[in-house]
Short mmCIF file of all heavy atoms in Angstrom, two decimals:
data_model
loop_
_atom_site.label_atom_id
_atom_site.label_comp_id
_atom_site.label_asym_id
_atom_site.label_seq_id
_atom_site.Cartn_x
_atom_site.Cartn_y
_atom_site.Cartn_z
N ALA A 99 -0.76 22.63 -12.12
CA ALA A 99 -1.30 23.97 -12.33
C ALA A 99 -2.73 24.04 -11.82
O ALA A 99 -3.53 23.14 -12.06
CB ALA A 99 -1.25 24.34 -13.81
N GLY A 100 -3.04 25.05 -11.09
CA GLY A 100 -4.39 25.22 -10.57
C GLY A 100 -4.61 24.59 -9.21
O GLY A 100 -5.66 24.81 -8.60
N LEU A 101 -3.64 23.83 -8.71
CA LEU A 101 -3.80 23.25 -7.37
C LEU A 101 -3.41 24.27 -6.32
O LEU A 101 -2.42 24.99 -6.45
CB LEU A 101 -2.93 22.00 -7.20
CG LEU A 101 -3.43 20.73 -7.86
CD1 LEU A 101 -2.46 19.58 -7.60
CD2 LEU A 101 -4.81 20.36 -7.37
N LEU A 102 -4.21 24.33 -5.28
CA LEU A 102 -3.91 25.23 -4.17
C LEU A 102 -2.64 24.80 -3.46
O LEU A 102 -2.39 23.59 -3.31
CB LEU A 102 -5.08 25.22 -3.17
CG LEU A 102 -6.43 25.69 -3.69
CD1 LEU A 102 -7.51 25.41 -2.66
CD2 LEU A 102 -6.38 27.16 -4.02
N PRO A 103 -1.83 25.75 -3.01
CA PRO A 103 -0.61 25.39 -2.27
C PRO A 103 -0.90 24.53 -1.04
O PRO A 103 -0.10 23.65 -0.70
CB PRO A 103 -0.02 26.75 -1.86
CG PRO A 103 -0.60 27.73 -2.82
CD PRO A 103 -1.95 27.18 -3.21
N THR A 104 -2.04 24.74 -0.41
CA THR A 104 -2.38 23.94 0.77
C THR A 104 -2.64 22.48 0.40
O THR A 104 -2.31 21.58 1.16
CB THR A 104 -3.60 24.52 1.50
OG1 THR A 104 -4.62 24.79 0.54
CG2 THR A 104 -3.26 25.79 2.24
N VAL A 105 -3.21 22.24 -0.77
CA VAL A 105 -3.42 20.87 -1.23
C VAL A 105 -2.07 20.24 -1.55
O VAL A 105 -1.79 19.12 -1.14
CB VAL A 105 -4.36 20.82 -2.46
CG1 VAL A 105 -4.38 19.42 -3.07
CG2 VAL A 105 -5.77 21.26 -2.08
N LEU A 106 -1.23 20.98 -2.26
CA LEU A 106 0.10 20.47 -2.60
C LEU A 106 0.92 20.14 -1.35
O LEU A 106 1.71 19.21 -1.36
CB LEU A 106 0.86 21.47 -3.47
CG LEU A 106 0.40 21.55 -4.92
CD1 LEU A 106 1.08 22.70 -5.64
CD2 LEU A 106 0.66 20.25 -5.64
N SER A 107 0.71 20.88 -0.27
CA SER A 107 1.47 20.63 0.95
C SER A 107 0.99 19.37 1.68
O SER A 107 1.67 18.88 2.57
CB SER A 107 1.39 21.83 1.89
OG SER A 107 0.09 21.94 2.46
N ARG A 108 -0.16 18.83 1.32
CA ARG A 108 -0.71 17.64 1.98
C ARG A 108 -0.44 16.34 1.24
O ARG A 108 -0.79 15.28 1.70
CB ARG A 108 -2.23 17.77 2.15
CG ARG A 108 -2.73 18.98 2.91
CD ARG A 108 -2.18 19.04 4.32
NE ARG A 108 -2.80 20.06 5.13
CZ ARG A 108 -2.42 21.34 5.18
NH1 ARG A 108 -1.46 21.77 4.39
NH2 ARG A 108 -3.01 22.19 6.00
N VAL A 109 0.15 16.44 0.06
CA VAL A 109 0.39 15.25 -0.75
C VAL A 109 1.89 15.10 -1.02
O VAL A 109 2.65 16.06 -0.92
CB VAL A 109 -0.36 15.30 -2.10
CG1 VAL A 109 -1.86 15.38 -1.89
CG2 VAL A 109 0.12 16.45 -2.97
N ILE A 110 2.25 13.89 -1.38
CA ILE A 110 3.61 13.64 -1.86
C ILE A 110 3.50 13.44 -3.36
O ILE A 110 2.70 12.61 -3.82
CB ILE A 110 4.22 12.41 -1.17
CG1 ILE A 110 4.42 12.72 0.30
CG2 ILE A 110 5.50 11.99 -1.87
CD1 ILE A 110 5.25 11.76 1.08
#
Side-chain angles (χ1 to χ4, degrees):
L101 283 180
L102 298 171
T104 48
V105 171
L106 285 172
S107 72
R108 303 301 189 274
V109 299
I110 293 192

